Amino acid sequence: MKRILITGALGQIGSELTMKLRETYGTDNVIATDIKKNDSEAAQSGPFEVVDVTDLKRMGEVAKKYKVDTVMHLAALLSATAEARPVLAWNLNMGGLMNALETARELNAQFFTPSSIGAFGPSTPKDSTPQDTIMRPTTMYGVNKVAGELLSDYYYHKFGVDTRGLRFPGLISHVALPGGGTTDYAVEIYYEAIKTGKYTSYIDKGTYMDMMYMPDALNAIIDLMEADPCKLIHRNSFNVTAMSFDPEEIANEIKKHIPGFELTYQVDPVRQRIADSWPNSIDAIAAEEEWGFKFEYDLAKMTQDMISKLTNKLTMNKTNASGIQ
């Protein structure tokens, strides 16, 4: 990768991936795009262009302007939001993906887009879900992800586009706020633990879902994109994971740092139904064997880092808001 275009660069993954790639490949070689610009570091620290991913012409113009050799397509409506607005989700998620693949095809560029454990459904094996298994999701987001994997496969076999992807679990970050996903509780719980000492979970006790800390997710993207293409059998998309837990387990880990923390429940039936349709844990052996996937953070190490980083972040925000220098 030498010149990288990122769509959805100001979202949960994109805001951190943009900065990571700029550190690795050079600031001017990573072109961030999103539907509007904000004052975030990802938008301000290097090249940025306003791009609506449903506008193929605009996306192509920007890609050609910067002579990109890699397209990373992250723009998407997430699971809970997609379920509330399924027509918008289909038009944005699938229309945007098709445009990004067409852009990559025209420029003969390498291509990455994330899939998700949302691609699995109630009939998928729940424990140690295999790389190759039945995929019959019951959500619009899941349907989009399965279709996206197949479409990426099609562009590889039909046009020779070097497509690659990862089936991400829930991603946990101290940088960007979550954006309408079912696993968002695992980010919100840390913020509320520090701010109020309590959290009301919309996911019920005993509900296990796979998760990954954002630094591991970013490394996985780069490692996959730099992997020898001859070794890749499963291009779109590899199972990856780092941990699986339910709300009670993450709360117990938080209590080691914030002893008085209290967890209660007010279950959201929509997001709970989505969570119940997903695996409890997945098998990432294909990613390990084909390109050396590994992770660094388990629940304990992630919790320690999240609480440390968020405490500093929230203290700084409070100081800035009060006008104290």
Side-chain angles (χ1 to χ4, degrees), residues 28-315:
D28 291 340
N29 295 323
V30 180
I31 298 85
T33 76
D34 214 306
I35 197 163
K36 60 183 178 181
K37 192 172 186 179
N38 60 23
D39 59 0
S40 68
E41 191 175 11
Q44 301 294 333
S45 63
F48 181 90
E49 298 280 349
V50 173
V51 173
D52 178 344
V53 295
T54 63
D55 185 343
L56 173 59
K57 182 180 178 183
R58 172 64 178 159
M59 191 186 297
E61 288 172 349
V62 171
K64 291 172 186 174
K65 173 182 175 181
Y66 291 93
K67 299 181 173 64
V68 303
D69 63 16
T70 305
V71 175
M72 292 191 168
H73 178 62
L74 307 180
L77 217 57
L78 299 184
S79 58
T81 309
E83 203 60 12
R85 306 183 69 183
V87 175
L88 174 62
W90 178 267
N91 291 337
L92 174 61
N93 293 354
M94 298 312 301
L97 175 59
M98 178 66 88
N99 289 343
L101 282 164
E102 273 295 294
T103 299
R105 181 181 70 83
E106 189 169 348
L107 274 66
N108 194 29
Q110 196 177 9
F111 184 83
F112 172 84
T113 194
S115 187
S116 164
I117 59 172
F120 301 122
S123 54
T124 300
K126 299 287 283 185
D127 299 306
S128 298
T129 303
Q131 172 70 41
D132 300 308
T133 187
I134 187 168
M135 301 170 73
R136 301 286 294 178
T138 54
T139 66
M140 177 54 75
Y141 180 71
V143 170
N144 293 163
K145 288 305 181 184
V146 173
E149 291 183 20
L150 294 173
L151 191 60
S152 295
D153 281 345
Y154 176 80
Y155 267 74
Y156 169 66
H157 292 293
K158 177 74 173 179
F159 302 115
V161 178
D162 185 0
T163 56
R164 308 182 186 197
L166 300 168
R167 285 187 194 128
F168 276 130
L171 296 179
I172 300 173
S173 168
H174 61 82
V175 176
L177 291 169
T182 301
T183 57
D184 287 355
Y185 90 88
V187 179
E188 295 170 358
I189 194 171
Y190 288 107
Y191 278 87
E192 293 305 313
I194 296 167
K195 290 194 292 186
T196 68
K198 56 187 178 182
Y199 179 68
T200 300
S201 174
Y202 56 78
I203 295 296
D204 204 359
K205 63 179 68 175
T207 305
Y208 282 82
M209 287 184 283
D210 278 80
M211 303 282 180
M212 178 179 282
Y213 198 29
M214 189 64 79
D216 283 333
L218 302 182
N219 288 334
I221 293 171
I222 293 172
D223 289 347
L224 173 61
M225 295 302 284
E226 294 290 1
D228 181 351
C230 296
K231 295 181 178 179
L232 301 181
I233 300 169
H234 301 88
R235 287 179 161 271
N236 309 290
S237 295
F238 288 95
N239 284 358
V240 289
T241 185
M243 62 194 95
S244 178
F245 54 75
D246 73 342
E248 201 74 25
E249 288 182 6
I250 192 172
N252 288 337
E253 199 62 45
I254 289 171
K255 287 176 185 177
K256 295 177 182 179
H257 305 269
I258 305 173
F261 176 67
E262 297 179 4
L263 175 66
T264 56
Y265 296 90
Q266 186 174 336
V267 176
D268 173 3
V270 173
R271 284 188 279 195
Q272 184 63 42
R273 186 169 63 250
I274 295 172
D276 289 340
S277 74
W278 291 354
N280 297 328
S281 62
I282 62 176
D283 183 348
I285 189 66
E288 294 170 13
E289 292 179 346
E290 293 178 36
W291 51 274
F293 166 69
K294 58 185 181 298
F295 64 88
E296 179 182 351
Y297 290 88
D298 59 11
L299 178 57
K301 186 173 182 180
M302 177 186 71
T303 297
Q304 182 178 15
D305 196 60
M306 279 288 287
I307 289 176
S308 173
K309 296 282 175 45
L310 278 181
T311 299
N312 292 336
K313 176 181 177 178
L314 294 172
T315 300

